[in-house]
Amino acid sequence: MDSNESAVAAASHGSDGDGCVPGRSPQGAECTAAAPSGPSSHSAPEETPRRAPGPGGTAHPADPAPAKPRNRSGSGNGNGNGNRRAALLTLALVTTLALLALLSAGVGAYDIPLADVLASVRHHLGLGGAPLDRVGESVLWNVRLSRVVLALLVGASLGCAGALMQGVFGNPLAEPGVIGISAGAAVGAVAAIGLGLSFFGNWTITVCAFVAGLITVSSVYLLSRNGGRTEVVTLILTGIAVNAFAGALIGLFVFFADSGQVNQITFWQLGSLAQATWPKVLAVLPCAVAGLLIAPFYSRRLDLLALGERPARHLGIDVERLRLSLILVVALLTAAAVAVAGVITFIGLLVPHLLRMANGPGHRFLVPGSALTGAVVLVAGDLAARTLAQPAELPLGVLTALLGSPFFFWLLRRTRRKQGGWA
């Protein structure tokens, strides 16, 4: 959990003071070539500056200025402060998530006091407590808790996917929808609904969404490659075209679907956790857990990639392989979330950027922190969607878009102002 300087400190370890990395970068090669080759270049001490002669005519050597030791290990005060800040942020996020989960489990059309929620949870864990009445137990365990767990998994998946996407593209405005992953997964889920597919039971929509998302991201990646390299701008433009094509396919499925399927597709496209059940939780759990466990292992390489593609290659990073691996992880996380919750936007865009503002760009904290913050945001958003317009329920995707769009406009203007305009 590094501070703002963690990415640079990790990548520049072993470099000399003028930015040369011997044997690992072009600058290092230039420094080696430019260094004098005689023996004096290795052993000649620097000439000691001398004072002007005093009254007796004797010149005295100047008092050497005390040299400040350079910290190459990245363990200075700034790094310690960054670690403490990250630890405090993590503790605050975990506490907030636990409180929101308990609150969301008890609040709704059938209110359950917090003490009763804790007593029922302790009872089911064998730690004492007491069960609720029959209706309370059914509402808490069959409706509320499954929805809370699903919101946690979906929010963590979208937040983590957003952090990975922004690291891959080196752009805080990137999110999983940029290269068509969300739209491709949506095509698979809509096809499963519109065609009435059920060959995998409760897993059918998830499997179709994941396969369609994987096909989409593979197509985008192959179409954007040229000469064995993938340009980020080409990848984004290809994703825009794929998004448009996926939108046309979704419209085609809606056109041929019957009225019941159209209602289901329309409600699903708005994004909601209203249909949350434990089988749906089990359907998304393997994909979400696998992606969330794999993602933190790429944190150090993302820090190096943040220095630029060329420096990252000189530091031993296979940029193409890293980019492909991370895109596959993002596809896994996004497809799982889209399959069970529909299209929920702006979580992957807002969460990583807010964490960068709070703790800097180091990915050792940013990747797991984005998953944790995404879970907090979506649990809170689902609670608001259920309670703001009771007895009706607001679509979760609409609520996140209403709140996320103004933030995106502000972020866009802030980025443009910092860069002095767009190129």
Side-chain angles (χ1 to χ4, degrees), residues 49-279:
R50 306 182 68 83
R51 292 178 184 169
T58 305
H60 301 282
D63 295 332
K68 294 182 179 180
R70 292 189 305 181
N71 188 351
R72 294 179 180 270
S73 63
S75 58
N77 292 333
N79 193 38
N81 291 336
N83 288 336
R84 285 193 293 273
R85 184 164 59 249
L88 290 175
L89 280 172
T90 302
L91 180 61
L93 288 171
V94 170
T95 304
T96 303
L97 180 60
L99 293 175
L100 280 173
L102 291 173
L103 182 64
S104 184
V107 174
Y110 184 90
D111 284 327
I112 304 174
L114 180 60
D116 292 346
V117 173
L118 291 173
S120 180
V121 171
R122 291 201 310 270
H123 174 73
H124 281 265
L125 293 177
L127 301 175
L132 304 176
D133 58 79
R134 183 175 60 84
V135 176
E137 284 285 298
S138 178
V139 169
L140 178 62
W141 290 95
N142 296 333
V143 179
R144 298 274 176 80
L145 287 180
S146 61
R147 185 162 181 164
V148 170
V149 173
L150 192 61
L152 191 152
L153 290 174
V154 171
S157 298
L158 293 176
C160 183
L164 295 178
M165 286 293 296
Q166 292 175 13
V168 166
F169 290 119
N171 190 330
L173 300 179
E175 58 104 16
V178 169
I179 60 173
I181 298 176
S182 298
V187 169
V190 168
I193 296 172
L195 299 176
L197 303 180
S198 60
F199 44 83
F200 285 114
N202 292 324
W203 292 74
T204 303
I205 295 179
T206 304
V207 170
C208 291
F210 175 68
V211 171
L214 195 59
I215 292 173
T216 302
V217 73
S218 302
S219 302
V220 171
Y221 189 78
L222 292 175
L223 289 172
S224 59
R225 283 181 67 86
N226 184 23
R229 299 281 298 277
T230 305
E231 295 293 336
V232 172
V233 175
T234 307
L235 200 64
I236 293 174
L237 293 176
T238 306
I240 292 173
V242 169
N243 273 320
F245 183 71
L249 287 179
I250 291 174
L252 197 62
F253 282 117
V254 170
F255 179 77
F256 287 108
D258 58 37
S259 58
Q261 293 171 337
V262 168
N263 291 335
Q264 186 179 359
I265 291 172
T266 302
F267 188 73
W268 178 86
Q269 281 185 293
L270 296 176
S272 175
L273 299 175
Q275 305 299 320
T277 59
W278 287 114

Side-chain angles (χ1 to χ4, degrees), residues 281-360:
V281 171
L282 294 177
V284 72
L285 185 65
C287 297
V289 170
L292 293 172
L293 290 178
I294 293 171
F297 290 100
Y298 290 94
S299 297
R300 180 180 174 275
R301 278 170 278 185
L302 284 172
D303 284 338
L304 297 178
L305 185 60
L307 301 175
E309 289 190 23
R310 189 175 178 183
R313 288 192 178 94
H314 287 301
L315 290 169
I317 301 299
D318 188 338
V319 176
E320 289 299 310
R321 178 178 296 179
L322 174 63
R323 184 168 289 153
L324 178 60
S325 300
L326 288 177
I327 288 176
L328 290 177
V329 174
V330 170
L332 183 69
L333 292 169
T334 306
V338 168
V340 296
V343 180
I344 298 177
T345 55
F346 289 104
I347 299 294
L349 173 67
L350 305 185
V351 165
H353 193 79
L354 290 173
L355 283 184
R356 282 193 193 89
M357 295 170 64
N359 194 64

Side-chain angles (χ1 to χ4, degrees), residues 345-346 349-350 398-410:
T345 55
F346 289 104
L349 173 67
L350 305 185
V398 172
L399 186 62
T400 59
L402 286 174
L403 297 177
S405 298
F407 184 88
F408 179 77
F409 288 133
W410 171 81

